[in-house]
Amino acid sequence: MMNRPALTALAATLPATVPFVGPEAQERQRGRPFRARIGANESGFGPSPAVKAAIAEAAGDVWKYADPENHDLKAALAAHLGVEPENITVGEGIDGLLGLIVRLFVEPGQPVVTSLGAYPTFNYHVAGFGGHLVSVPYLDDRENLQGLADAARRENAPLVYLSNPDNPMGTWWEAAEISRLIEALPETTLLVLDEAYGETAPASAIPPLDVARPNVLRMRTFSKAYGLAGLRCGYAIGEAETIRAFDKVRNHFGVNRIAQTAALAALADQDYLFSVIGSVAACRDRIAAIAEANGLKPLPSATNFVTFDCGGDSAFALKIMQALIARDVFVRKPMAPVLDRCIRVSVGPDAAIDLFEQMLPDALTAARS
Amino acid sequence: MMNRPALTALAATLPATVPFVGPEAQERQRGRPFRARIGANESGFGPSPAVKAAIAEAAGDVWKYADPENHDLKAALAAHLGVEPENITVGEGIDGLLGLIVRLFVEPGQPVVTSLGAYPTFNYHVAGFGGHLVSVPYLDDRENLQGLADAARRENAPLVYLSNPDNPMGTWWEAAEISRLIEALPETTLLVLDEAYGETAPASAIPPLDVARPNVLRMRTFSKAYGLAGLRCGYAIGEAETIRAFDKVRNHFGVNRIAQTAALAALADQDYLFSVIGSVAACRDRIAAIAEANGLKPLPSATNFVTFDCGGDSAFALKIMQALIARDVFVRKPMAPVLDRCIRVSVGPDAAIDLFEQMLPDALTAARS
């Protein structure tokens, strides 16, 4: 056997996996495209027309490296949020930033606290840097704030992950409860507060920004309500010294030039954002009504998707998901115990939801047979 | 003093730096834009018209996450290169891939071999993962292949970095010499062969691809001759198991959708690539002639830039660079001992080179005074 370069001891233990199989891979396997793409919590309402125009206009400038300091975007975000540019870092989506956070704050073997069934990509990064995942079960389909705080204290964890509003359940906590969690955490525990769905949540769910506090990072993205998932542009808001740490390890030229341009244009078009938020809310209601009309139980949602309890076990929910996929409707489902009785449907334009409405009764029949 | 989350022991030792200060930062400091952007080895000839059209057409699709498997781009690259898709991984520029390589193969404290004055971003990643850099000086303005092989053996290094053609000097080795280096390396040493400038090099400088060999990764990019620096799309070609390791740690959705679309369109327009390669060669000759006309000594170049010996010490070359910058001509220079007697000028359209030609005599006078 030929000798070969050795992976690090840690890398050798890691599987070569994808946290999510994309709809394109499923389409290749199926041999035909989906007719409704409502499984990945994308915004089927698309980006603002101003964003599309900005992208087309910037197409000729792609020969230039983007500004590695992301200066203009950070300045615009800071003005929008009422903080300073030094309180913001921009990265290749929240996914990319989560990897950097784990790398910066977690030594191999250290415990990291999250909810059982919460964001798989965070778990992927924790494993990727040798952290040890401590998972707290959901309570009544919401993340268990007291349980997370207790686990963080007990484990003396450097990191706690919380998504509010929550993915994959769509549920949320009010800001006062989140603030109570923050107060309950050790000062040496960094709370990664993922607010990817913050724009579609009630204002009462989002605590005020407090950039004096070193142990909270607020994670935001242009992937959801702004409709730029394919461009990979997320940001973290926090205390200046915590934010500065990203400059130690980030891929400085990593945020694509078109992403920066599009994010600036998206941020400037708040009217469009508000119209999308309205469409999202209306579509959530419609998805919930469709679920109820079919005897399923939708959970309350502050996100751009609706998760519903299919009233059976994991195998039953899986069959429904597969039956929808077989009918060209791309949806997903939670995989962790208890949550896995549900499936999850993202909002989208009428045509996509029409197809879901049309196919769901058949899919249920198929799943029950 | 308030307690705060602790950085890892390694992260605490790292500076919060930028490997390169971008021209935009300099423009902000100067308070006015550059009139010639010929300092970052970008392609001022721009991307193919087909790329611009593809970007504009794809602008409406940015709400969709990109395919995390980069399937279509890998398939197109594989067909173009005569290898299998399993021999290719795509990442956020070569920069992003270099970080993953160091993470996968270098344990903290292990030695990593490179040339003294070679690519700073590689060194940044080595430091970022706790590797120990062993630097081999250039020999007559070329990377010292024998010295690199000797150092790799002596140190039992897991990684050796080599750029061919070389940045920042522009010089190159013929394929036979590179192949000799490969044969001289231990089988357990991975050669990171950075061929970012491969398209503008003589064909005789590029060894045939050998994807049966586990210890060589060939690094390529759309940033240089293809004119897509701002989009962040690089790729590595290698043996399937070595390539598969990237899936253990990469940011799966990290390659932006517009980047994938543009790279596909760029690859399909080889006629445009050939025309750019012609323009690059002609422009290199012109830059060299301008340098010679001003008493400076251009080095041979197989890249999209020309480095020239200013005939003095580092301080003199620095003054010339600063004088050009003061005259609105963005250029850069090597910073390592011996190399630092040079400045480096990237190719670009006539107007940019005209301004360089116009300003160089003045800049030299200023530097000498």
Side-chain angles (χ1 to χ4, degrees):
Chain A
M1 192 179 122
M2 199 177 189
N3 281 324
R4 54 184 305 131
L7 292 168
T8 66
L10 172 58
T13 69
L14 300 173
T17 50
V18 184
F20 292 98
V21 176
E24 294 82 6
Q26 295 185 48
E27 289 175 334
R28 288 189 290 269
Q29 282 161 8
R30 294 152 31 92
R32 66 176 196 279
F34 286 113
R35 289 189 291 150
R37 183 168 164 133
I38 48 176
N41 303 344
E42 299 159 329
S43 181
F45 304 114
S48 150
V51 166
K52 287 185 261 191
I55 291 174
E57 196 185 323
D61 279 341
V62 296
W63 62 273
K64 300 177 190 171
Y65 285 102
D67 175 17
E69 300 177 25
N70 306 295
H71 175 274
D72 294 353
L73 180 54
K74 288 198 332 191
L77 284 167
H80 181 71
L81 296 165
V83 300
E84 297 299 318
E86 66 180 13
N87 298 119
I88 297 172
T89 192
V90 179
E92 301 96 324
I94 291 178
D95 282 5
L97 292 168
L98 290 176
L100 298 179
I101 292 168
V102 175
R103 178 174 167 194
L104 285 168
F105 291 99
V106 180
E107 301 275 8
Q110 277 191 317
V112 173
V113 174
T114 186
S115 298
L116 182 63
Y119 194 45
T121 303
F122 179 73
N123 302 352
Y124 167 82
H125 289 307
V126 171
F129 289 103
H132 160 61
L133 212 60
V134 176
S135 298
V136 177
Y138 280 63
L139 204 60
D140 298 332
D141 297 325
R142 294 205 286 184
E143 298 202 53
N144 177 351
L145 301 187
Q146 187 63 52
L148 290 168
D150 291 347
R153 284 188 173 282
R154 184 185 70 237
E155 304 280 348
N156 194 23
L159 280 191
V160 178
Y161 175 88
L162 172 70
S163 176
N164 190 58
D166 179 62
N167 179 20
M169 302 311 275
T171 52
W172 72 99
W173 289 101
E174 290 292 299
E177 302 292 333
I178 301 292
S179 296
R180 204 174 343 259
L181 166 69
I182 291 170
E183 294 297 334
L185 289 177
E187 289 178 341
T188 50
T189 295
L190 180 63
L191 174 65
V192 180
L193 181 53
D194 186 340
E195 297 177 327
Y197 302 97
E199 289 85 0
T200 54
S204 60
I206 308 298
L209 295 175
D210 174 8
V211 293
R213 184 181 282 270
N215 71 330
V216 178
L217 282 173
R218 311 283 287 267
M219 313 302 294
R220 305 274 176 92
T221 183
F222 286 94
S223 294
K224 301 301 177 187
Y226 285 106
L228 307 184
L231 294 188
R232 315 282 57 222
C233 189
Y235 54 104
I237 312 158
E239 181 254 5
E241 188 178 332
T242 302
I243 290 294
R244 203 174 305 125
F246 288 90
D247 283 336
K248 294 168 174 272
V249 293
R250 71 190 177 93
N251 181 8
H252 286 85
F253 288 87
V255 182
N256 171 298
R257 187 174 190 92
I258 294 284
Q260 293 190 35
T261 300
L264 268 170
L267 191 67
D269 192 352
Q270 293 288 307
D271 286 349
Y272 182 79
L273 177 69
F274 292 137
S275 82
V276 166
I277 291 170
S279 301
V280 168
C283 190
R284 282 192 310 234
D285 290 346
R286 186 178 170 204
I287 295 171
I290 294 168
E292 284 179 334
N294 285 273
L296 308 175
K297 188 178 162 249
L299 306 184
S301 171
T303 64
N304 70 353
F305 60 86
V306 177
T307 298
F308 38 87
D309 185 339
C310 299
D313 60 4
S314 173
F316 179 57
L318 185 65
K319 279 183 194 162
I320 299 173
M321 182 186 84
Q322 287 168 337
L324 284 167
I325 287 173
R327 285 159 181 79
D328 296 342
V329 179
F330 167 57
V331 298
R332 282 197 176 124
K333 70 182 290 299
M335 299 306 287
V338 186
L339 314 187
D340 61 2
R341 71 192 194 284
C342 299
I343 69 172
R344 193 191 73 179
V345 177
S346 308
V347 299
D350 285 344
I353 307 302
D354 289 348
L355 190 69
F356 167 68
E357 182 170 32
Q358 182 192 331
M359 294 299 176
L360 182 59
D362 260 14
L364 286 168
T365 304
R368 285 185 183 120
S369 72
Chain B
M1 192 178 125
M2 198 178 189
N3 281 325
R4 55 184 304 130
L7 292 168
T8 65
L10 172 59
T13 68
L14 301 173
T17 49
V18 183
F20 292 98
V21 176
E24 294 82 6
Q26 296 185 46
E27 288 175 336
R28 288 189 290 270
Q29 282 162 6
R30 292 153 32 94
R32 68 177 195 279
F34 286 113
R35 289 188 292 149
R37 183 171 164 129
I38 48 176
N41 304 345
E42 299 159 330
S43 181
F45 304 114
S48 151
V51 166
K52 287 185 259 191
I55 291 174
E57 196 186 323
D61 279 341
V62 296
W63 63 273
K64 300 177 190 173
Y65 285 102
D67 175 16
E69 299 177 25
N70 306 295
H71 175 275
D72 294 353
L73 180 54
K74 288 198 329 190
L77 284 167
H80 181 71
L81 297 165
V83 299
E84 297 300 318
E86 66 180 14
N87 297 119
I88 297 172
T89 192
V90 179
E92 300 95 326
I94 291 178
D95 282 5
L97 292 168
L98 290 176
L100 298 179
I101 291 168
V102 175
R103 180 174 167 194
L104 285 168
F105 291 99
V106 180
E107 301 275 8
Q110 277 191 317
V112 173
V113 174
T114 186
S115 299
L116 182 64
Y119 195 44
T121 303
F122 179 73
N123 302 351
Y124 167 82
H125 288 307
V126 171
F129 288 103
H132 160 62
L133 213 59
V134 176
S135 299
V136 177
Y138 281 62
L139 203 61
D140 297 332
D141 297 324
R142 294 203 287 183
E143 299 201 53
N144 178 351
L145 301 188
Q146 186 64 49
L148 291 168
D150 290 346
R153 287 190 171 278
R154 184 184 70 235
E155 305 279 347
N156 195 23
L159 278 192
V160 178
Y161 175 88
L162 171 70
S163 175
N164 190 59
D166 178 63
N167 178 22
M169 303 310 276
T171 52
W172 72 99
W173 289 100
E174 289 293 299
E177 302 292 333
I178 301 294
S179 295
R180 207 177 337 263
L181 166 69
I182 291 170
E183 293 297 334
L185 289 177
E187 289 178 340
T188 52
T189 295
L190 180 64
L191 174 65
V192 180
L193 181 54
D194 186 339
E195 296 177 326
Y197 301 97
E199 289 85 1
T200 55
S204 60
I206 308 297
L209 295 176
D210 174 8
V211 294
R213 184 180 282 272
N215 72 329
V216 177
L217 282 172
R218 311 282 288 265
M219 314 301 295
R220 306 273 176 92
T221 183
F222 287 93
S223 293
K224 303 300 176 186
Y226 285 106
L228 306 184
L231 293 188
R232 313 283 60 222
C233 190
Y235 54 104
I237 311 158
E239 182 255 4
E241 187 177 332
T242 302
I243 290 294
R244 203 175 303 125
F246 287 90
D247 283 337
K248 294 167 174 272
V249 293
R250 69 189 180 92
N251 181 9
H252 287 84
F253 289 87
V255 182
N256 169 299
R257 188 175 189 92
I258 295 284
Q260 292 189 36
T261 300
L264 268 171
L267 192 66
D269 193 353
Q270 292 290 306
D271 286 348
Y272 182 80
L273 176 69
F274 293 138
S275 81
V276 167
I277 291 170
S279 300
V280 168
C283 191
R284 282 192 311 233
D285 290 346
R286 186 176 170 206
I287 294 171
I290 294 169
E292 284 179 334
N294 285 273
L296 308 175
K297 188 178 160 248
L299 307 184
S301 170
T303 63
N304 69 353
F305 60 86
V306 177
T307 298
F308 38 86
D309 184 338
C310 299
D313 61 4
S314 173
F316 180 58
L318 185 65
K319 279 184 194 162
I320 298 173
M321 183 186 82
Q322 288 168 336
L324 284 167
I325 286 172
R327 286 160 182 78
D328 296 342
V329 179
F330 168 58
V331 298
R332 283 197 176 124
K333 70 180 292 297
M335 299 305 287
V338 187
L339 314 188
D340 61 1
R341 72 191 196 285
C342 299
I343 69 172
R344 194 191 73 179
V345 176
S346 308
V347 299
D350 286 344
I353 307 302
D354 290 348
L355 190 69
F356 167 68
E357 182 170 31
Q358 182 192 332
M359 293 301 176
L360 182 59
D362 259 14
L364 286 168
T365 304
R368 285 184 183 121
S369 72

